[in-house]
């Protein structure tokens, strides 16, 4: 909670859909009882997405966070009822495969389920037929059955939670249309409606697809796209005659045709994502009393649904006896990456977003926001949902429209974890982009940046390399060229484009004291020192890891991970200390390999010897004609430097290094080689290997903590911490031919004990390296990593796996 908030904060929640009602319940349960929920429509069904939601809750998701949100939604709604009716029906879920690719995908989804603690199994066609007798089992290759999934009665859940929140003091006001957000001194102060103004210390926008409308009133960008989604109900089916239960069979997903099916007593409800995207302008949505049915329900377009009906009848022949009785195009929200928008705005303090949340995740998302507001942090890692994750370049209406529409089209697609969006690309490019294209770079995307993963110009180096044959999934967005680039880095020298990594500048007379307070390591070193350190929250969880270079008495350059790091520092910076993102105006080349010194020394006027330019040191110097900030760091476990300069001089820097590197056999190398090399060395990647859920001691980063340096954020929590009950653990897969990618479950003695965070084939080790969260295990312990249903043997290994003496870096 902000220090400026009173002991009993006044909270106004905008929107009484499933998210707003869940949030009011969660807040009041935590003692924040001065909660007012404003709704423009009538209660309890005000006409937003909640009012028409079919209520499907499938918990399994590639995102551990979304899975946890859905699991809590099931847990909470299962304990609620209204008018004697349960708010959740645990009918189960059944995802079908009609192609081999989908069947493989279901096996991978079963792995996600095991990793995240969801009960599920891949079942044969005969079992699918038992669960859904209306199926033509000859069309089915298998299914993924999750018995704990089911149907959420969203409006009933709203009523039940409203009653609980009201009993604790909350008030729900219908027919109050928000017309403005009051602000003063960079903080929210109240909400203006057509029926009066409500003072507030905190305002939460839980307005659903109206989120951009509320955001504009607050001067806060809300990057979501409302889209219409088709849903129909059939006429009665003879096969369901006499049915009295609303639903008894599992929710059916026919993802190969972008369809889902649920029962409505003696008929079926069918939802389709197979049609063209239908964006809706949230500023033109009619008011409740002006809408033909409700604001979120648009007229059905039969021509869009016709192909979907044929596909569904192909799978469920009984539909030939029933037609479409009614249908509508229901509006709900998509973000550019498909994840919710949760958290406090960095543009307006006290203004919170709880947007782009589907019924599936509603209770879990609301709990996270409530914890964030009352405790200062959610118990679950939610960095994937943080509104700061989108760069300025990703917030244009055109970008949100293009990416939001693509998310709609890909809802049920088999999407590889490295698969880049198709458009708009390229968006952000480094100054080296033209040269990278000339070298045949294979680009993937991250944060809007085009990132080379390997270069086809290096293909001759891959000839003759003995590498294990990859399966089709792990071979996607990968090339043997990446292994050749990793080898070239270990044997000679390579240039890496590190421009997309975030850079912050912290300046001012109190900069050192400020950074000492915010980070774990001791930064009180002379100018020219570089320090690896951590940002923690008050519970000791890792918010981020940083490299901090002290370039002058009161000037620091920080290598950070996300905009959330900048936001965190800005929130805490005292007067006189300035925090500035310098990423876009600068660029960086990583020069790494045993010949790195031979490459840079002839180009520099300063001494780059080990004695003259030690490890973890920084210096402002020149490379040829280019002024650079050189830092002797290595994220790949080899001798080398990160060379920073301004963006306008970037191309000259690249060309200077490239020309000088020719006689040394220098190559350009991409992110694929980079990831392999850093895992061999055991270097962690924040957001993948550790998050705010983990402490430094659990993550193997205790060396970056100096408890004796004085007070810092999280210090007391670390002082009280006991022995870790889990650890980030290095694994080597036993068979050189086995490769995994991440998020796979890891079993010990036949029981799932954890999951893989990052993995890559280690060329120097000749094995796939995987890091996993597991209970403390001794080196040599045998484990198994489940990959597409296969149990791959692996062994716990001591780390670092490569060059434990650090001799290659410190020469």
């Amino acid at each position: 909670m902000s220090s400026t908030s009173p002991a009993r904060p006044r909270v106004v929640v905008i929107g009484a859909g499933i998210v707003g009602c869940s949030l009011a319940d969660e807040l009041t349960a935590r003692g924040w009882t001065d909660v007012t929920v404003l709704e423009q429509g009538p209660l309890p069904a005000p006409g937003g997405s909640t009012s028409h939601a079919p209520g499907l809750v499938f918990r399994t998701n590639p995102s551990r966070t979304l899975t946890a949100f859905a699991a809590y939604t099931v847990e909470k709604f299962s304990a609620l009822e209204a008018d004697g009716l349960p708010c959740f029906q645990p009918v189960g879920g059944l995802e079908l495969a009609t192609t081999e690719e989908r069947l493989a995908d279901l096996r991978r989804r079963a792995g996600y389920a095991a990793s995240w603690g969801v009960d599920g199994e891949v079942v044969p066609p005969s079992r699918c037929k038992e669960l859904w007798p209306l199926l033509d089992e000859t069309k089915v290759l298998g299914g993924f059955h999750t018995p704990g999934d089911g149907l959420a009665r969203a409006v009933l859940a709203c009523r039940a939670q409203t009653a609980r929140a009201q009993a604790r003091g909350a008030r729900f006001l219908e027919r109050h249309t928000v017309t403005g957000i009051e602000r003063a001194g960079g903080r929210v102060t109240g909400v203006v409606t057509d029926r009066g103004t409500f003072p507030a210390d905190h305002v939460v926008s839980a307005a659903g697809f109206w989120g951009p409308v509320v955001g504009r009133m607050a001067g806060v960008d809300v990057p979501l796209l409302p889209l219409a989604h088709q849903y129909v109900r059939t006429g009665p089916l003879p096969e369901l005659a006499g049915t009295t239960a609303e639903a008894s069979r599992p929710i059916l997903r026919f993802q190969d045709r972008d369809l889902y099916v649920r029962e409505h007593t003696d008929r079926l409800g069918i939802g389709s994502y197979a049609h063209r995207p239908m964006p809706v302008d949230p500023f033109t949505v009619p008011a409740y009393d002006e809408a033909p049915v409700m604001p979120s329900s648009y007229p059905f377009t039969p021509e869009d649904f016709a192909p979907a009906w044929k596909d569904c009848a192909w799978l469920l022949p009984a539909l030939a006896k029933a037609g479409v009785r009614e249908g509508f195009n229901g509006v709900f929200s998509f973000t550019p990456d498909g994840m919710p928008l949760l958290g406090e705005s960095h543009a307006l303090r006290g203004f919170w977003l709880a947007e782009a949340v589907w019924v599936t995740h509603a209770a879990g998302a609301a709990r996270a926001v409530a914890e964030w507001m009352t405790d200062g942090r959610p118990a679950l890692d939610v960095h994937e949902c943080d509104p700061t994750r989108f760069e300025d370049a990703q917030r244009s209406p055109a970008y949100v429209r293009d990416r939001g529409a693509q998310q709609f089209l890909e809802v049920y697609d088999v999407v590889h974890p490295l698969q880049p969006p198709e458009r708009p690309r390229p968006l952000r490019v480094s100054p080296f982009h033209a040269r990278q294209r000339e070298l045949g770079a294979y680009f993937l995307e991250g944060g809007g940046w085009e990132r080379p993963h390997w270069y086809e110009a290096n293909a001759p180096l891959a000839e003759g390399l003995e590498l294990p044959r990859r399966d089709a999934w792990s071979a996607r967005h990968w090339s043997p060229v990446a292994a050749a680039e990793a080898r070239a880095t270990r044997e000679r020298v390579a240039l890496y484009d590190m421009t997309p990594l975030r850079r912050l500048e912290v300046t001012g007379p109190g900069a050192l004291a400020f950074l000492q307070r915010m980070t774990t390591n001791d930064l009180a070193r002379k100018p020219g020192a570089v320090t690896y350190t951590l940002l923690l929250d008050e519970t000791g969880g890792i918010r981020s890891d940083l490299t901090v270079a002290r370039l002058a008495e009161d000037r620091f350059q920080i290598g950070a991970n996300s905009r959330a790091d900048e936001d965190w520092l800005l929130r805490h910076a005292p007067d006189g200390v300035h925090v500035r993102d310098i990423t876009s105006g600068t660029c960086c080349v990583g020069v790494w390999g045993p010949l790195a010194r031979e490459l840079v020394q002839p180009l520099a006027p300063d001494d780059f010897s080990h004695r003259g330019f030690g490890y973890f040191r920084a210096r402002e110097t020149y490379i040829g004609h280019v002024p650079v900030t050189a830092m002797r760091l290595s994220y790949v476990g080899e001798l080398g430097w990160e060379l920073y300069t301004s963006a306008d001089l970037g191309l000259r820097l690249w060309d200077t290094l490239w020309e000088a590197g020719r006689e040394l056999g220098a190559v350009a190398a991409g992110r694929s080689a980079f990831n392999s090399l850093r895992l061999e060395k055991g270097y962690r990647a924040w957001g993948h290997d550790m998050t705010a859920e983990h402490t430094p001691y659990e993550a193997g980063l205790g060396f970056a903590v100096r408890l004796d340096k004085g007070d810092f954020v999280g210090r007391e929590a670390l002082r009280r911490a006991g022995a870790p009950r889990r650890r980030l653990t290095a694994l080597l897969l036993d068979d050189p031919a086995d490769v995994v990618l991440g998020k796979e479950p890891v079993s010990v003695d036949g029981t799932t004990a954890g999951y893989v965070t990052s993995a890559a084939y280690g060329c120097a080790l000749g094995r796939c390296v995987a890091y996993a969260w597991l209970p403390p295990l001794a080196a040599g312990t045998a484990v198994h990593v489940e990959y597409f249903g296969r149990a791959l043997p692996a062994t716990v290994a001591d780390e670092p796996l490569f060059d434990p003496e650090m001799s290659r870096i410190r020469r």
Side-chain angles (χ1 to χ4, degrees):
M1 182 174 67
S2 170
S3 60
T4 60
S5 298
R8 289 174 57 84
R10 298 165 299 179
V11 180
V12 173
V13 178
I14 301 173
I18 190 63
V19 178
C21 292
S22 296
L23 180 59
D25 183 42
E26 295 288 337
L27 284 171
T28 55
R30 288 165 173 78
W32 281 29
T33 54
D34 191 350
V35 175
T36 301
V37 182
L38 301 175
E39 174 53 59
Q40 62 183 342
L43 295 176
S49 301
T50 299
S51 301
H52 71 247
L56 281 65
V57 180
F58 283 89
R59 291 165 296 168
T60 305
N61 192 285
S63 166
R64 178 173 170 270
T65 299
L66 290 189
T67 301
F69 284 173
Y72 181 68
T73 300
V74 169
E75 175 188 338
K76 184 177 186 180
F77 289 2
S78 294
L80 295 177
E81 63 176 37
D83 295 338
L85 296 174
C87 294
F88 184 77
Q89 294 177 274
V91 295
L94 180 62
E95 303 179 38
L96 300 175
T98 59
T99 65
E100 290 292 345
E101 182 184 27
R102 181 67 63 179
L103 184 60
D105 184 62
L106 295 186
R107 294 193 180 102
R108 188 172 69 259
R109 288 181 63 77
Y112 292 146
S115 289
W116 315 144
V118 175
D119 182 25
E121 64 174 337
V122 176
V123 298
S126 58
R127 177 59 176 152
C128 296
K129 180 70 172 180
E130 290 176 10
L131 292 166
W132 252 87
L134 300 184
L135 282 176
D136 180 353
E137 67 179 302
T138 66
K139 307 289 177 57
V140 177
L141 300 180
F144 176 46
H145 181 219
T146 46
D149 290 339
L151 294 166
R153 291 186 170 110
V155 174
L156 284 182
C158 284
R159 290 177 55 194
Q161 293 178 103
T162 295
R164 298 197 329 175
Q166 286 175 325
R168 303 185 191 109
R171 57 177 175 168
F172 287 72
L173 303 178
E174 63 181 358
R175 300 288 189 174
H176 281 64
T177 300
V178 174
T179 58
I181 305 294
E182 293 188 331
R183 300 166 264 173
R187 284 197 61 89
V188 69
T189 60
V191 178
V192 182
T193 76
D194 59 350
R195 299 176 65 177
T197 297
F198 297 83
D201 305 298
H202 297 271
V203 173
V204 185
S205 178
F209 59 80
W210 284 285
V213 179
V214 175
R216 180 175 292 182
M217 297 177 196
V220 173
D221 183 40
V222 181
L224 66 79
L225 176 71
L227 286 155
H229 159 62
Q230 292 199 299
Y231 190 80
V232 305
R233 293 193 188 201
T234 71
L237 274 71
E239 291 82 356
L240 300 180
T243 300
T244 57
E246 178 187 351
S248 58
R249 295 176 178 84
I251 317 161
L252 202 64
R253 269 178 166 172
F254 182 19
Q255 292 158 299
D256 288 325
R257 294 294 185 273
D258 296 311
L259 295 165
Y260 62 83
V261 182
R262 59 154 292 183
E263 295 173 294
H264 290 283
T265 315
D266 64 347
R267 60 200 69 201
L268 298 180
I270 303 169
S272 172
Y273 294 97
H275 54 82
R276 61 188 170 89
M278 303 177 188
V280 172
D281 183 351
F283 293 89
T284 63
V285 174
Y288 186 92
D289 294 325
E290 298 171 359
V293 180
M294 65 177 79
S296 63
S297 180
Y298 276 60
F300 185 59
T301 49
E303 64 277 9
D304 290 304
F305 193 78
W309 178 258
K310 291 181 181 178
D311 288 334
C312 217
W314 175 81
L315 181 70
L316 305 169
L319 289 180
K321 306 169 188 175
V324 173
R325 181 64 58 89
E326 57 183 338
F328 66 95
N329 293 349
V331 183
F332 63 141
S333 304
F334 285 80
T335 59
D337 61 1
M339 297 293 289
L341 297 168
L342 307 178
E344 188 179 15
S345 167
H346 72 279
L348 180 62
R349 299 309 183 203
F351 185 82
W352 296 76
L353 296 179
E355 297 289 10
V357 179
W358 296 1
V359 171
T360 303
H361 310 114
R367 178 174 67 169
V369 174
E371 290 171 339
W372 212 335
M373 295 174 70
T374 59
D375 301 334
R377 71 182 291 272
L380 182 72
D381 168 57
V382 295
H383 80 274
E384 294 174 302
C385 309
D386 194 320
T388 63
R389 70 188 184 271
F390 294 116
E391 305 288 341
D392 291 341
Q394 297 174 298
R395 291 176 172 269
S396 70
Y399 185 94
V400 173
R401 182 181 62 248
D402 288 347
R403 289 290 171 92
Q406 185 166 346
Q407 288 296 324
F408 177 90
L409 294 172
E410 292 180 352
V411 162
Y412 284 165
D413 284 2
V414 178
V415 178
H416 192 277
L418 293 177
Q419 181 175 319
E422 294 178 0
R423 62 180 190 142
R425 291 182 63 197
L427 184 64
R428 307 178 78 189
V429 298
S430 79
F432 325 130
H433 186 70
R435 298 293 185 264
Q436 293 166 343
R437 292 184 62 184
E438 292 169 2
L439 294 170
Y442 183 86
F443 291 103
L444 298 179
E445 190 209 59
W449 287 100
E450 294 295 317
R451 299 186 177 196
H453 273 242
W454 68 84
Y455 296 85
E456 286 300 326
N458 295 325
L461 301 178
E463 295 176 4
L465 275 184
E466 294 185 6
L467 298 172
R469 184 178 180 83
R470 291 198 170 211
D471 65 282
W473 188 251
S474 65
R476 199 176 296 184
H477 305 297
W478 181 85
S479 168
V481 176
E485 292 173 0
R487 175 172 291 188
T489 307
R490 292 276 187 239
E491 295 177 351
R492 299 188 302 280
V493 63
L495 307 184
Y496 288 82
D497 181 1
M498 307 302 291
T499 301
L501 299 185
R502 185 170 302 278
R503 292 172 289 286
L504 306 176
E505 183 181 72
V506 178
T507 58
L512 175 60
F514 166 61
L515 291 174
Q516 284 283 71
R517 164 69 180 148
M518 297 305 298
T519 68
T520 60
N521 214 333
D522 190 356
L523 307 182
R525 304 170 64 193
K526 294 179 180 180
V530 182
T531 306
Y532 177 79
T533 188
L534 307 172
L535 286 180
L536 305 184
D537 61 28
E538 293 289 355
T539 70
I542 304 171
R543 288 188 57 93
S544 188
D545 64 338
L546 313 173
T547 54
V548 180
R550 191 175 191 183
L551 302 180
E553 286 292 325
D554 299 324
R555 180 163 63 92
F556 296 81
Q557 180 173 312
I558 297 177
N561 286 294
S562 70
R563 288 189 68 181
D565 298 344
E566 178 191 11
D567 185 55
W568 180 252
L569 294 175
L570 283 169
R571 285 172 183 262
H572 293 85
D575 292 342
V577 173
H578 306 283
V579 180
R580 184 169 68 98
D581 189 321
I582 60 172
T583 309
S584 296
T586 57
C587 60
C588 178
V589 181
V591 183
W592 291 308
L595 302 183
R597 184 174 287 118
E598 294 182 41
L599 174 53
V600 298
Q601 181 63 87
L603 302 173
D606 295 294
D607 183 3
F608 271 65
S609 70
H610 182 60
R611 180 181 294 274
F613 199 147
Y615 188 51
F616 264 77
R617 300 291 299 173
R619 174 178 298 165
E620 293 179 319
T621 183
Y622 293 87
I623 296 295
H625 297 92
V626 180
V628 300
T629 299
M631 298 186 195
R632 190 172 166 194
L633 307 174
S634 176
Y635 205 53
V636 300
E638 295 292 338
L639 171 69
W641 287 264
E642 293 178 358
L643 303 174
Y644 298 89
T645 192
S646 56
D648 60 321
L649 291 168
L651 190 59
R652 183 60 178 264
L653 174 62
W654 179 278
D655 287 346
T656 299
L657 293 166
W658 185 256
E659 186 61 33
R662 287 180 182 273
E663 62 184 40
L664 299 175
V667 302
R671 297 287 300 183
S672 187
F674 179 87
N675 198 47
S676 170
L677 295 168
R678 69 102 180 165
L679 283 171
E680 287 186 329
K681 194 60 181 169
Y683 293 145
R684 278 68 165 141
W686 188 86
H688 295 277
D689 299 316
M690 74 279 194
T691 68
E693 291 186 34
H694 309 110
T695 70
Y697 304 125
E698 293 173 329
L701 298 175
F703 66 88
V705 177
R706 295 291 181 268
L707 291 175
D708 59 352
K709 75 162 184 172
D711 194 25
F712 59 83
V713 176
R715 178 173 179 264
E716 286 308 307
L718 295 186
R719 286 170 60 89
R720 296 191 303 267
R725 291 179 293 177
R726 58 183 175 179
R727 292 187 185 275
L728 187 61
T729 305
L731 306 177
L732 280 175
L733 272 70
D734 293 353
D735 189 336
D738 290 337
V739 176
V740 300
L741 300 181
K743 300 187 178 181
E744 296 87 359
V746 181
S747 61
V748 181
D749 297 328
T751 301
T752 300
Y755 59 92
V756 174
T757 60
S758 297
Y761 182 78
C763 300
L765 302 173
R767 301 288 175 86
C768 181
V769 179
Y771 273 79
W773 281 106
L774 292 168
L777 298 171
T781 301
V783 302
H784 285 86
V785 181
E786 183 183 322
Y787 182 71
F788 286 90
R790 296 168 51 223
L792 308 181
T795 303
V796 174
D798 282 324
E799 57 172 335
L801 304 171
F802 179 80
D803 187 28
E805 298 84 13
M806 299 284 285
S807 60
R808 299 177 70 90
I809 294 177
R810 297 181 182 274
R811 54 183 160 190

